[in-house]
Amino acid sequence: MARISGKLDPNGRLVRLGEAIRDERQRIGISQEALADEAGLDRSHLGRIERGERNVTLLNLVRIADGLGLRTSDILSRAEL
Amino acid sequence: MARISGKLDPNGRLVRLGEAIRDERQRIGISQEALADEAGLDRSHLGRIERGERNVTLLNLVRIADGLGLRTSDILSRAEL
């Protein structure tokens, strides 16, 4: 999964998605480490996803949503996607 | 993007997503070729996504949703994700 440049994501959709994930994680009061663990992801990878630096795949998005106790569609709605 | 084996997607989430995309495409009466064109994707790649054989990325999902005139979260809701 390549680093995402502005050209690939001109509308900042990945940044909005990352913010929605981070906001929900902070709302329920868990660390990035704890969510990464829950989702079975590497913490630094989750960090890049939260910063909008990765074009996250559907299955990883589902794992993150599961870790937050949300439906994947809920996260996308909050990110207005 | 590797081919997806059952092991990676035991709950068939990618298959459900692909079916939701295909059902909506057929509902609005456009061909796979036309949707692939609209979304800026290769037709065979869209075909694999519709069959649940690819772990589709968020940006490609957004392009497909745009091509169907839907929000990405709508497609995921229809796929119960």
Side-chain angles (χ1 to χ4, degrees):
Chain A
M1 195 152 350
R3 170 181 282 274
I4 293 299
S5 71
K7 277 193 305 290
L8 272 178
D9 184 23
N11 302 313
R13 286 166 165 148
L14 294 174
V15 169
R16 286 207 319 261
L17 174 64
E19 286 168 354
I21 291 170
R22 187 202 56 211
D23 292 350
E24 181 59 19
R25 175 174 63 74
Q26 290 173 342
R27 193 185 68 75
I28 63 174
I30 61 173
S31 67
Q32 209 174 64
E33 187 97 36
L35 178 56
D37 221 33
E38 188 68 32
L41 294 175
D42 185 80
R43 198 222 39 86
S44 59
H45 187 58
L46 177 63
R48 290 190 195 94
I49 290 171
E50 285 196 356
R51 290 190 299 274
E53 294 171 1
R54 286 294 179 274
N55 186 10
V56 57
T57 65
L58 193 279
L59 291 183
N60 277 348
L61 197 49
V62 169
R63 293 162 80 173
I64 292 169
D66 287 349
L68 293 169
L70 288 176
R71 285 171 32 132
T72 314
S73 52
D74 294 335
I75 294 181
L76 292 184
S77 295
R78 293 174 193 209
E80 295 170 9
L81 291 171
Chain B
M1 192 151 355
R3 169 182 282 275
I4 292 296
S5 71
K7 279 192 307 270
L8 272 179
D9 184 24
N11 301 315
R13 286 165 166 147
L14 295 174
V15 170
R16 286 205 321 258
L17 175 63
E19 286 168 355
I21 292 169
R22 186 203 57 211
D23 292 351
E24 182 59 20
R25 174 175 63 75
Q26 290 174 341
R27 193 185 68 75
I28 62 175
I30 62 173
S31 67
Q32 209 174 64
E33 187 99 37
L35 177 56
D37 221 34
E38 188 68 33
L41 296 175
D42 185 80
R43 198 221 38 85
S44 60
H45 187 57
L46 177 64
R48 289 190 194 95
I49 290 171
E50 286 195 356
R51 290 190 299 275
E53 294 171 2
R54 287 294 180 272
N55 186 10
V56 58
T57 64
L58 192 281
L59 291 184
N60 276 348
L61 199 49
V62 169
R63 293 163 81 173
I64 292 169
D66 287 349
L68 292 169
L70 288 176
R71 287 171 31 132
T72 313
S73 51
D74 293 335
I75 294 180
L76 292 185
S77 294
R78 292 172 194 211
E80 296 170 8
L81 290 171

